[in-house]
Amino acid sequence: MRPVRLVVLCLLALVAIPQLRAQSDYAFGADVSFLKQAEDSGLIFKDNGVAKPGLEVLRDHGYNWIRLRVFVDPAKASTHLPNDLAYSIALAKRAKALGFKVEVGFHYSDTWSDRFHELTPSAWQGQTHQQLVTSVFNYTRDSIAAFAAAGAMPDMVQIGNEPTLGFLWPDGKLPENWDHYADLVRAGIKGMDAGRGTAPRPRVLIQLDLGGDWAASKAWWDKFMTYKIPFDVMAQSYYAHDYHSLMELRENLDNTARTYHKDIILIETSYTWKPGKAFPDHDGPFPETPEGQAAFLEELNRIVMAIPDGHGKGVFWWEPFWPRAGVDRGMVDADGDTLPVIRVYDKWTGGEASRTHKPLATPQLTDPNWRPQPAPPAAPK
């Protein structure tokens, strides 16, 4: 019976391997687009009192993805943000060297893009629709090629940032110009493919900012799907200070999975660790304390992990190392030391111990070349 049992165990192991691989692609992520600027300015971050670079802090607590935003020419904008192509590539290279996967979000603007601001880059203003399509293609192609040449090829690419109402206004504004918007998205995806050369194709992500609103999300996705644009991940932003509940978020994400059968990522979220402007009456769903912030991420992650059919693929915290004074949604306190929220994923990933220690292996079941070691000679009597 022993050989039969061994065959059965081997078959069970082979069945289990794809499931383990599927689970390993879950993104414990963070948008760290401000991190390089903060560290270059001299800020020092600490983990439990020990000075450590920000990316290493995240790595040691199980984070496996970072997110970076890219602006076309931020020097031309009044916001003077650092996130041009060279800055983003430098940060992506550091992340790749530490084993992170990288998601790159193209804003197609010189500054922030969201439902309130989708400003056409200064160099593209006044262009016709077809000229804009060409500009999006060329810019995306050249940017991806630059990432690839630097050895920092993105693993996922986002076309537009929160384009719930389109991007590159007024040409790609929604709901007025769906056809134009679709042309621009296609141009971005084709540019990505043209720029990657022989590198593996990044997954393509489309992001909305309708985390707790199923009705609006369904209306948007239904319309977008009519254009048959090839993409891989449906993403949402969710901020509790927008006053949608976690129950509404769960309804939206679960219904999205059941309706469209695509992978889903919560690509932006955060929560305050002390009272501030997010909840003027201090009426947030979790206490505005370090412990309340950690409890928020814990519940949010459970919702995403429970999305039907394994379509929940990750959560990204927005700017854990944001240095802006008075904005207390990061993962470090005023002294740059980590807050309890940084340890939420330790229970899922094993934290630093999983990086510094090897788990017990069973090569008898997983290595087809495994052979029993010969028995040591018997000790002389």
Side-chain angles (χ1 to χ4, degrees):
M1 295 293 292
R2 287 182 179 176
V4 174
R5 288 177 181 171
L6 181 59
V7 170
V8 171
L9 287 173
C10 289
L11 289 173
L12 288 174
L14 289 172
V15 170
I17 288 170
Q19 295 174 351
L20 293 173
R21 287 176 179 166
Q23 292 168 4
S24 70
D25 66 2
Y26 190 87
F28 298 99
D31 187 321
V32 295
S33 299
F34 277 136
L35 176 61
K36 184 178 182 298
Q37 181 190 51
E39 292 180 332
D40 288 350
S41 72
L43 286 178
I44 297 174
F45 298 106
K46 293 167 280 186
D47 188 15
N48 199 26
V50 177
K52 191 182 293 186
L55 287 176
E56 293 184 22
V57 172
L58 293 175
R59 178 200 62 188
D60 291 347
H61 289 285
Y63 283 75
N64 57 358
W65 279 80
I66 67 158
R67 180 183 187 228
L68 300 173
R69 60 181 165 270
V70 181
F71 301 136
V72 175
D73 190 357
K76 297 286 182 63
S78 60
T79 44
H80 301 298
L81 296 165
N83 312 99
D84 62 13
L85 184 60
Y87 172 100
S88 301
I89 288 174
L91 193 45
K93 287 179 67 174
R94 285 174 51 194
K96 288 278 187 175
L98 290 172
F100 285 94
K101 291 186 176 181
V102 175
E103 193 264 7
V104 169
F106 290 109
H107 282 233
Y108 299 108
S109 180
D110 294 334
T111 186
W112 303 109
S113 291
D114 53 45
R115 69 158 62 204
F116 305 106
H117 321 88
E118 293 284 354
L119 302 177
T120 298
S122 58
W124 303 355
Q125 289 179 11
Q127 292 186 356
T128 66
H129 171 64
Q130 191 53 53
Q131 287 172 332
L132 281 174
V133 168
T134 300
S135 292
V136 168
F137 174 87
N138 290 341
Y139 167 75
T140 311
R141 178 199 61 201
D142 296 347
S143 297
I144 292 295
F147 274 100
M153 184 67 187
D155 302 278
M156 187 153 51
V157 170
Q158 177 179 324
I159 306 299
N161 188 73
E162 294 183 336
T164 307
L165 298 179
F167 63 12
L168 291 168
W169 290 352
D171 186 74
K173 191 172 185 179
L174 300 180
E176 301 94 317
N177 298 319
W178 265 103
D179 289 352
H180 283 194
Y181 170 74
D183 289 343
L184 295 166
V185 173
R186 284 195 192 94
I189 296 172
K190 290 178 179 178
M192 179 198 77
D193 281 328
R196 67 185 173 89
T198 59
R201 189 176 197 264
R203 304 195 83 194
V204 176
L205 179 148
I206 303 295
Q207 175 195 10
L208 301 183
D209 65 345
L210 300 168
D213 192 338
W214 165 237
S217 295
K218 185 176 187 302
W220 200 98
W221 292 123
D222 282 352
K223 180 66 175 179
F224 184 73
M225 293 296 188
T226 65
Y227 289 93
K228 302 187 184 307
I229 296 172
F231 75 109
D232 305 293
V233 179
M234 308 174 93
Q236 290 278 7
S237 302
Y238 175 77
Y239 294 99
H241 56 260
D242 290 334
Y243 301 105
H244 280 289
S245 69
L246 287 180
M247 286 295 291
E248 290 171 311
L249 173 68
R250 186 177 73 170
E251 175 192 38
N252 187 7
L253 300 184
D254 287 2
N255 286 343
T256 299
R258 292 190 181 103
T259 302
Y260 305 105
H261 310 290
K262 279 187 172 289
D263 289 343
I264 297 167
I265 287 178
L266 200 63
I267 198 68
E268 283 189 33
T269 193
S270 65
Y271 198 83
T272 50
W273 59 270
K274 68 178 183 180
K277 296 179 180 179
F279 301 101
D281 300 320
H282 311 308
D283 56 354
F286 291 81
E288 292 179 275
T289 63
E291 295 74 20
Q293 183 192 48
F296 169 79
L297 180 57
E298 178 74 53
E299 293 304 319
L300 205 66
N301 188 57
R302 289 184 184 278
I303 288 173
V304 175
M305 283 188 162
I307 290 173
D309 302 320
H311 282 304
K313 294 301 181 183
V315 176
F316 284 71
W317 191 271
W318 194 80
E319 293 293 357
F321 304 106
W322 198 13
R324 180 179 170 187
V327 180
D328 302 306
R329 292 188 277 159
M331 292 185 169
V332 294
D333 62 19
D335 296 320
D337 208 349
T338 51
L339 294 163
V341 67
I342 199 74
R343 291 180 279 278
V344 165
Y345 293 152
D346 285 358
K347 63 174 64 69
W348 297 103
T349 66
E352 186 172 7
S354 67
R355 185 177 61 83
T356 56
H357 297 76
K358 290 185 177 180
L360 179 65
T362 312
Q364 300 94 321
L365 300 180
T366 59
D367 183 357
N369 298 315
W370 180 85
R371 296 292 181 271
Q373 297 296 316
K381 295 182 179 179

